[in-house]
Amino acid sequence: MNHRIRAATALLILTWPLTACGGPGGAGPFERCVPEESSTASSAELEGSYEGSLEAKGTRLVLTTRPGVAGGTLTVENWPTGDSFRNELGPAFSGTGTWEITRPSGSEKSALLRLHFDPPKPDLPTPDTIDLLSIGVDAKRTFLYDNTDPDTCPDFRLQLQRK
């Protein structure tokens, strides 16, 4: 094997876990752990049942659309409370609400999924919760995730379950 090829291969193997969305919990050195953020995601593309992984393990989100509305209704199970800037998320709740896609404007480059939970609000010590998620869509996968650091793979992510 050529010395340059060996060096390049070793460099790739040593650095791929440190790149955005590669490495532990990621899909490998050539595929991001979640697709790039979308600026054009549609309500129809997002409709369905999502299962969480990593920090969102055990979390479920079901999105349904309503005719003529850019969004629809939602149902959550084991949805965590707590601010995204804290090290740990708080207790979880189950409930319903609505959702919408916020389109990019100004300095924003991608669409976001905004969740609105129905009252009564969870009666928990931390009333805040994750209610704004990045949307990642590629040819094979759809993810909703809390994009706290674009240089790392998101720990709170949900994947659309394909039928």
Side-chain angles (χ1 to χ4, degrees):
M1 184 184 267
N2 180 318
H3 173 70
R4 288 184 186 166
I5 293 173
R6 274 188 293 196
T9 302
L11 181 62
L12 176 65
I13 290 169
L14 290 173
T15 60
W16 78 265
L18 304 175
T19 60
C21 287
F30 303 110
E31 182 175 55
R32 292 176 51 91
C33 65
V34 294
E36 291 278 347
E37 289 179 291
S38 174
S39 61
T40 61
S42 70
S43 296
E45 285 178 289
L46 299 183
E47 184 173 34
S49 180
Y50 292 79
E51 295 289 331
S53 60
L54 299 175
E55 283 185 358
K57 187 169 178 71
T59 302
R60 250 180 82 103
L61 170 66
V62 177
L63 301 177
T64 55
T65 57
R66 293 186 300 190
V69 176
T73 59
L74 66 85
T75 303
V76 294
E77 292 176 17
N78 298 315
W79 196 263
T81 60
D83 296 316
S84 60
F85 60 83
R86 293 191 178 127
N87 287 337
E88 292 183 18
L89 296 173
F93 69 96
S94 296
T96 58
T98 60
W99 62 277
E100 64 186 331
I101 299 172
T102 62
R103 297 292 171 198
S105 64
S107 64
E108 295 174 9
K109 293 181 171 62
S110 57
L112 296 169
L113 179 73
R114 182 169 300 278
L115 307 176
H116 305 278
F117 297 105
D118 289 337
K121 300 236 181 219
D123 186 23
L124 301 168
T126 41
D128 297 325
T129 189
I130 296 171
D131 61 359
L132 194 61
L133 298 168
S134 294
I135 302 166
V137 179
D138 66 18
K140 297 184 280 185
R141 307 171 300 161
T142 300
F143 274 92
L144 303 173
Y145 53 96
D146 186 22
N147 195 14
T148 55
D149 182 354
D151 293 329
T152 63
C153 197
D155 288 332
F156 186 88
R157 61 182 184 226
L158 301 117
Q159 185 171 12
L160 178 63
Q161 303 302 295
R162 304 282 181 193
K163 294 177 184 176

